[in-house]
Structure formats: structure tokens, C-alpha cells
Amino acid sequence: MTILAFVIGVVVLVVGLAVSIALHEIGHLLPAKAFGVRVGQYMIGFGPTLFSRRRGETEYGVKLLPLGGYISMAGMYPPAPTMEEDAEDAAATRGRTARRRVSSRFFRTLVQDAREANAETLIGAEERTFYRLPVYKRVIIMLGGPFMNLLQAIVLFTILFSGFGVQTATTTVSSLSECVPVSSTSQDCASTSAPAEQAGLEPGDTIVSIDGVAVADFTEATALIQASPGRAMNFVIDRDGTQRTVTITPAAVPKADDPSTDIGFIGVRPTGALVAQPLWAGPQAAIENVGAVAGIIVKLPVMVAETASTLVTGAERDPNGPLSVVGAGVIAGEMASSSSPIVNRVAGIIGLLGSLNIALFVFNLVPLLPLDGGHVVVALWDGIKRWWARIARRPAPRPVDATKLIPVTFVVVAALAVMGGVLILADLINPLSLI
């Protein structure tokens, strides 16, 4: 049963990730079609096509590996430069070394391949091309995908925080302490009877208020108790639906980090429960996660290098470090196969999917091709060039030819592949675990 639950957790994560990617691509597809761009393909996954169906001018399909996706828009790049324009570019780059020329030939081949693939999308598209759109429409199309991931994260975190709730220490008593400790963190007893036990409190009692102050959770109750060592306090207790008032005087216990200061102690342990949060808690958590993930993305190369070093040294990995999809699958499997109540396991996987959508949102905003942020930068640069030409009363410049950035794209893809490979290897050999 445990193995089956583990497999179910992994499958749920993979399906959830595939849905997240599908919606990401819909975020590109809908505005592209709304702005009149011809979209030839909408595909989820990579590799061989499992099935596809054409609706109008667009082929919709699913490929073997559901770990990515794309839409094929007509004219993502402007038409290839004319022979005269190419000659001008070649003249501007003369004088390079032989090694540089060999490298340039390799990258020129990549550029030419990209131009030929782009040229195929231009056939019959006429004015319905991406590169002809105003800058703001191109930006909307490219940001549509990441926005869908952010929206999914907000929905998932809202379900998690307001639907399932957050594990919270409640004011319901689970058990009583048998003694008063010698300090706030000590297990040794200073006396043999705690104030709550002396006052007659029992497991299952719920603290409603303290000295007339309503308490919503154990944290609030603890703050009031700790602030009143040696002072009698009136506790309103709910027992089986009936409320009554008891007087308890918190014992004075020295703080472990400051023995000269006493804090109040009555000797009750709380019951944990999932407590629903306000509707704004989910969006707030999503935004906070954006900042945390952005910090990881900025330091990603360094963190991946540190992760790689653990493969050699055998040291423990940073629990807040990056994961591959393999690592995320292991975490999901462990959540599903844990001994926690089923509601906690489901909530855990929902939270994991929400975090993955935040990661997709932030990662795709990185301003490098082939990521969405890179296409946004190209569109903005094109707009700046046209704006400057108008200001300077010069002829409109040629559209920015992003195919010239194919060498940069190649380096970025290679770097991502290396980092992804390192993380997958680490998740297989030295995985992070909930256990």
C-alpha cells in the first residue's frame, strides 16, 4: 500500500505539472489568437507525438515527455535579411581569427536553420505574424504564459490556506504537564504539580478567553500567560459545550536564554488542527513565494555548484536549495505515502504544485532567450529602436532580428541542460527527503 501511495503521489505531481504547462501555453495561445496571429501548433510535451488533432488552422497535440510545451506562431522572427543586408553584416565582422571563424560557421548554421524554420511559418501568413504586432501586444503574448502560472499558484495556495487550512496549535488542550520545569526549555522538574492541573483543567478543554481577552489560537494564549508570571488570571474554559471560569496563577519559570527574567507557565499542551485562513492569505503566500524563488533563481548557478559538490563530499544538501522534477516527484511520493491523515497529504501535494507554478512563473521571466523574458526584452528593444528613430526623425529601422541571438540561446540552453542534469543526478544519488 505504501509503494502504491508513493506511485500515486508521483503520478499526481506529473499530471499536475503537465496541466500547469498546458495552461502556461494557453496563456500564450489565447492572446496570440485574439491579436490575429496565426498559430500553427499547440503542443504539450516534447519528443514523439502521441496524438494530435487539427482545429481550424491550429494542430493541438500531446507529446511523449510532458515536461514542457510550446505554441508555434507565424513570424516569431522577421524575415531573413536580404543578400545585401547579409553582405553588410559580413563586412562589419571581418578580421576575426581562424578559431573565431570556425565558431562563427557553427553558429551561422544554427542561425540559418532558425531562419529557415521561421520562413516556413511565414508562408501564407501575410500580415498575421508575431513580429509585426505592436510592442505591447507582443509583450502581452509572451507574459501570458508566466501570468497563467502565477494565477494557478494563487488559486492553489488559496485552496490550501482557505480550503484545507494551515496546521495550527489551537486553544484546545491535548495534555497537561505533570510538573513545572526549572527553565523554559528544560525537561527537569522544579515542582511536581503544574498550575493547570491544580486548577482542574482536562484534555479536551478549550481556552476561550484569558482575563477577558478572547484567544484565537495557542500562540495568543501563550503570549498572555508568559507575560503574567505569578499573577492570578481568569480563564474561560469550554468543556463539552459548557463554559466556566477558573482562576489559574502561572508559575514563574526562568527564561533559558535570560535566567534573570521569568515567564508564566501553566502546563498545557495544544491540539493541532487545520485552521482555515482568510481568502487573502493564499495570494499573499504566493507573492511571498515569488520573492523567495527569485532569490534562488538569482543564485542558481552557485547553488547548483554547491549541490554538485555534495555528490563528491557526501555532505547533506541545502533543504532550501533547488530541485529537479525528479526530486519534486520523490517529495510528492513521500507526502502521499506518509502516515499523516489523508487531508494533510493532499494539502502537501497542493502546496508543492503551487510552489512549482511559482518557480515556472519566475524562471520564465528571466530575460534570456529562449525564455519568455528574453522575447519580452527583444520586443522592448525593437520598440525603443523605433521610438528613437521617430525622435531623431530617421527612417524606421529594420525589425530586431532575434535569430542573431541564437548563439546566446544555444549557450543558455546548454547551461540549463547541464544544471538540470546535475540536479537530476543529485536527486537520484543524494536526494532531499521529508523523512
Side-chain angles (χ1 to χ4, degrees):
M1 186 62 182
T2 301
I3 295 177
L4 177 60
F6 185 93
V7 172
I8 290 174
V10 174
V11 170
V12 168
L13 181 86
V14 171
V15 171
L17 184 58
V19 170
S20 298
I21 293 169
L23 292 174
H24 174 100
E25 296 306 327
I26 286 177
H28 294 310
L29 178 73
L30 294 181
K33 284 185 171 289
F35 295 147
V37 178
R38 190 181 71 180
V39 180
Q41 286 186 317
Y42 167 91
M43 289 290 173
I44 304 304
F46 297 108
T49 301
L50 297 179
F51 69 89
S52 66
R53 182 168 296 181
R54 182 168 293 278
R55 288 283 186 270
E57 64 186 10
T58 305
E59 178 188 9
Y60 301 85
V62 175
K63 293 181 176 289
L64 181 62
L65 301 175
L67 301 178
Y70 64 92
I71 66 170
S72 174
M73 291 184 287
M76 276 291 291
Y77 310 114
T82 63
M83 294 181 63
E84 291 78 8
E85 292 168 339
D86 264 343
E88 293 175 5
D89 292 341
T93 57
R94 286 173 185 163
R96 294 176 178 172
T97 64
R99 172 181 284 184
R100 186 68 176 271
R101 284 198 297 271
V102 171
S103 175
S104 295
R105 281 197 296 271
F106 170 73
F107 286 121
R108 278 202 300 271
T109 300
L110 293 179
V111 171
Q112 185 59 35
D113 290 343
R115 287 174 173 173
E116 290 175 358
N118 183 66
E120 293 179 4
T121 70
L122 295 171
I123 299 174
E126 300 173 352
E127 304 298 313
R128 300 179 57 203
T129 54
F130 176 79
Y131 81 91
R132 288 182 179 272
L133 292 175
V135 171
Y136 80 92
K137 290 186 177 181
R138 281 183 273 170
V139 171
I140 289 174
I141 290 173
M142 298 318 302
L143 291 183
F147 173 78
M148 286 295 285
N149 290 124
L150 178 60
L151 184 60
Q152 289 177 79
I154 290 174
V155 170
L156 288 168
F157 280 126
T158 299
I159 292 173
L160 176 64
F161 282 77
S162 300
F164 286 84
V166 174
Q167 190 71 27
T168 305
T170 69
T171 57
T172 299
V173 178
S174 67
S175 62
L176 301 173
S177 299
E178 297 179 353
C179 68
V180 176
V182 296
S183 71
S184 59
T185 59
S186 175
Q187 300 297 319
D188 297 328
C189 293
S191 67
T192 57
S193 182
E197 185 179 29
Q198 293 177 9
L201 263 64
E202 299 177 358
D205 288 348
T206 298
I207 302 173
V208 178
S209 67
I210 303 175
D211 277 349
V213 179
V215 288
D217 55 42
F218 192 72
T219 301
E220 294 181 3
T222 300
L224 292 173
I225 294 168
Q226 290 186 346
S228 305
R231 184 174 68 83
M233 309 179 76
N234 292 322
F235 286 68
V236 175
I237 304 299
D238 184 295
R239 179 180 295 171
D240 299 327
T242 301
Q243 291 189 359
R244 65 192 186 98
T245 301
V246 297
T247 300
I248 305 176
T249 301
V253 176
K255 292 181 66 175
D257 57 350
D258 183 10
S260 63
T261 302
D262 291 335
I263 60 174
F265 174 87
I266 66 171
V268 294
R269 299 185 184 93
T271 298
L274 290 172
V275 177
Q277 304 298 303
L279 284 176
W280 62 80
Q284 181 179 345
I287 299 303
E288 290 173 354
N289 269 266
V290 168
V293 173
I296 292 176
I297 295 297
V298 168
K299 299 182 292 184
L300 186 60
V302 174
M303 298 183 82
V304 171
E306 292 173 350
T307 301
S309 70
T310 66
L311 295 175
V312 179
T313 64
E316 290 187 6
R317 290 172 59 183
D318 180 359
N320 297 316
L323 283 172
S324 72
V325 67
V326 172
V330 170
I331 297 295
E334 290 183 351
M335 285 180 176
S337 59
S338 71
S339 58
S340 302
I342 184 67
V343 66
N344 294 63
R345 288 182 267 173
V346 173
I349 293 178
I350 288 176
L352 182 58
L353 285 172
S355 298
L356 286 174
N357 272 281
I358 291 294
L360 289 172
F361 167 71
V362 176
F363 186 70
N364 276 284
L365 292 182
V366 174
L368 294 172
L369 290 173
L371 302 173
D372 296 331
H375 289 287
V376 169
V377 169
V378 170
L380 293 176
W381 177 240
D382 190 46
I384 290 172
K385 287 182 62 178
R386 292 177 181 277
W387 171 80
W388 181 251
R390 287 195 300 271
I391 294 296
R393 296 183 179 180
R394 295 175 180 174
R398 287 187 291 169
V400 172
D401 184 8
T403 58
K404 293 180 180 179
L405 298 176
I406 291 297
V408 177
T409 304
F410 177 84
V411 172
V412 172
V413 170
L416 293 177
V418 170
M419 288 191 290
V422 168
L423 292 178
I424 289 174
L425 193 62
D427 288 332
L428 290 172
I429 297 175
N430 187 21
L432 290 173
S433 175
L434 296 176
I435 301 174

